[in-house]
Amino acid sequence: MARRTTDWPSVRAREPAQRDRERHTTAGDWGLLLIRLAFGLFLAAHGSQKLFGFFGGPGLTATGKGFADLGYHPGKLFAVIGGLSELLGGLGLLVGLLTPLAAAAVVGVMINAMVTVTAAHGFWDEDGGVEYNVAICVVALGLAALGPGRLAVDRLFRWGDGGWPEAAVALGLGGIGAAIALSL
């Protein structure tokens, strides 16, 4: 006996429209790509400033000294961790690859930045506050929750659609990583 729901015209009429949407990118997909490109490039560039001195950055030795001055010991090791978190997290967001993990890397490094540097200066970025770091965290978590869109490598994987579990992974791993770094 055939299932009755497949016999209804309204159900059959929706099926081609759904298949059509699944084959074509939407304005939302392009919007997510734009967000990923901007934030991914900015974060990757920021990480390469720390690690390699690109784009007028201080490079690893000076960044390591700065991390040591903040109480991270050994400073150079934490500079590598922070720089790689920004570089690889940014690149992951950029191409939409392992988006929940890329978001976790970004969230972790931003929590550390907030706790050790910007929180003492209040909220507004112009005063050196947490505004910018919070915005980056929100974008990273939003991308984990929404998914990177169809114009991403993650479209091939189950987590590519985003959701609560993906956002929880990003926040949870980012928070745990930040807590470990802050406790050492």
Side-chain angles (χ1 to χ4, degrees):
M1 178 181 240
R3 291 175 50 193
R4 290 189 153 199
T5 56
T6 58
D7 294 335
W8 291 25
S10 62
V11 172
R12 281 194 307 248
R14 281 186 283 160
E15 289 172 358
Q18 279 181 312
R19 283 193 303 267
D20 198 40
R21 278 193 306 271
E22 291 170 3
R23 281 191 288 246
H24 300 293
T25 56
T26 65
D29 294 319
W30 288 98
L32 287 169
L33 176 64
L34 182 62
I35 292 167
R36 289 192 353 258
L37 288 175
F39 275 85
L41 280 173
F42 293 154
L43 287 165
H46 201 69
S48 67
Q49 286 180 313
K50 285 180 175 65
L51 294 171
F52 312 116
F54 293 166
F55 310 111
L60 189 56
T61 301
T63 302
K65 184 181 178 329
F67 270 69
D69 292 345
L70 290 170
Y72 292 98
H73 299 287
K76 201 167 194 175
L77 173 66
F78 281 97
V80 168
I81 293 169
L84 283 175
S85 294
E86 289 177 350
L87 177 66
L88 297 177
L91 291 175
L93 292 179
L94 175 75
V95 299
L97 177 62
L98 302 172
T99 302
L101 297 179
V106 170
V107 167
V109 77
M110 288 302 120
I111 290 172
N112 273 278
M114 285 186 267
V115 170
T116 60
V117 179
T118 59
H121 303 286
F123 182 75
W124 299 112
D125 186 57
E126 64 190 26
D127 299 327
V130 298
E131 175 188 14
Y132 179 68
N133 303 119
V134 170
I136 291 172
C137 279
V138 169
V139 168
L141 286 173
L143 286 170
L146 290 169
R150 290 185 51 84
L151 301 170
V153 177
D154 275 349
R155 75 179 183 282
L156 304 171
F157 303 105
R158 183 183 64 78
W159 62 81
D161 291 334
W164 288 112
E166 290 79 357
V169 164
L171 183 59
L173 289 179
I176 290 168
I180 291 170
L182 289 166
S183 70
L184 296 177

